[in-house]
Amino acid sequence: DAKTTQPPSMDCAEGRAANLPCNHSTISGNEYVYWYRQIHSQGPQYIIHGLKNNETNEMASLIITEDRKSSTLILPHATLRDTAVYYCIVRDTGGYQKVTFGTGTKLQVIP
Amino acid sequence: GAGVSQSPRYKVAKRGQDVALRCDPISGHVSLFWYQQALGQGPEFLTYFQNEAQLDKSGLPSDRFFAERPEGSVSTLKIQRTQQEDSAVYLCASSLNEYSYEQYFGPGTRLTVT
């Protein structure tokens, strides 16, 4: 069963912030939230992950709600190269765990 | 440095033929994963290796699918007697170990069964 729920598609104007939501209402205390993206004809690429604090790296920011039941991936200034499918995943890092990707959100950045 | 590579990138097989798909993980990576991705869907887990040991093969759809990693580096996914429903992109990923937060994916092999 999918552990996350994401909208199937979103549009964003080039240069604007893209905010991609994810619901993970059944997340457990030791599960992290991960984001990957998959550009057309490529393998998925790791973006960011977090447990309960907001995280930022050179690619994106991750905002996790206080109850940890949802999160938002923020691309601060979307470019055409950010057009991709974005996957929100929850997993435990206490050793090996099978990863379930779900169907993700198709983000289309519009010129 | 070199990433995960897969070969061939494209494979066309006639129904009933056997195919072998190769994955070269990042050097030193202990963990290796295979995924199957149907058109318009997210990657679906097939199997997991830790070094040469296949610790999880719960995602393999049938006994026609077989994977190996005999020396703990290169891995091969073999599909016997291919069927049309096997048409998909097969993705390989590696990570430093089972605790790593990041999996590094190869470009995939697109298999078309005619």
Side-chain angles (χ1 to χ4, degrees):
Chain A
D1 292 337
K3 293 184 176 182
T4 64
T5 305
Q6 300 177 254
S9 64
M10 293 181 62
D11 290 341
C12 178
E14 187 178 17
R16 302 298 294 268
N19 297 280
L20 293 97
C22 179
N23 287 323
H24 31 79
S25 57
T26 61
I27 192 170
S28 63
N30 55 351
E31 286 185 316
Y32 284 69
V33 180
Y34 288 77
W35 284 83
Y36 279 75
R37 75 178 182 185
Q38 187 172 25
I39 295 170
H40 184 62
S41 296
Q42 298 183 22
Q45 175 193 22
Y46 165 84
I47 301 173
I48 198 168
H49 75 286
L51 183 63
K52 56 182 178 181
N53 297 320
N54 298 338
E55 302 288 345
T56 296
N57 63 20
E58 66 278 5
M59 291 183 68
S61 294
L62 174 60
I63 309 297
I64 303 173
T65 58
E66 192 168 345
D67 63 7
R68 303 207 326 118
K69 293 186 177 182
S70 66
S71 60
T72 301
L73 179 75
I74 301 172
L75 308 178
H77 306 287
T79 71
L80 298 179
R81 288 176 293 181
D82 292 323
T83 292
V85 178
Y86 288 76
Y87 297 99
C88 171
I89 298 158
V90 296
R91 63 163 286 200
D92 187 344
T93 54
Y96 163 69
Q97 186 184 62
K98 183 162 54 178
V99 172
T100 300
F101 274 83
T103 53
T105 296
K106 168 68 176 177
L107 175 68
Q108 182 71 48
V109 180
I110 302 168
Chain B
V4 178
S5 61
Q6 293 185 246
S7 60
R9 289 295 313 278
Y10 304 91
K11 176 70 177 177
V12 178
K14 291 186 177 179
R15 192 162 62 104
Q17 282 185 333
D18 298 348
V19 297
L21 312 180
R22 177 187 170 107
C23 172
D24 285 82
I26 294 172
S27 178
H29 277 197
V30 167
S31 298
L32 186 144
F33 305 80
W34 283 98
Y35 295 86
Q36 179 189 58
Q37 187 170 25
L39 191 63
Q41 302 296 312
E44 295 275 350
F45 170 83
L46 292 177
T47 188
Y48 166 70
F49 287 87
Q50 187 170 307
N51 293 307
E52 69 279 2
Q54 188 175 20
L55 298 187
D56 187 347
K57 53 182 180 179
S58 62
L60 296 176
S62 77
D63 58 7
R64 296 186 295 104
F65 287 70
F66 172 76
E68 61 183 4
R69 192 186 186 199
E71 297 180 357
S73 55
V74 171
S75 178
T76 304
L77 177 67
K78 298 180 179 178
I79 309 173
Q80 297 177 323
R81 304 181 302 281
T82 52
Q83 304 295 314
Q84 282 194 318
E85 60 264 28
D86 299 334
S87 295
V89 175
Y90 291 85
L91 294 161
C92 174
S94 71
S95 64
L96 189 60
N97 55 51
E98 68 269 32
Y99 300 99
S100 300
Y101 58 81
E102 182 174 358
Q103 292 185 23
Y104 296 83
F105 281 80
T109 294
R110 180 175 297 278
L111 173 65
T112 303
V113 181
T114 61

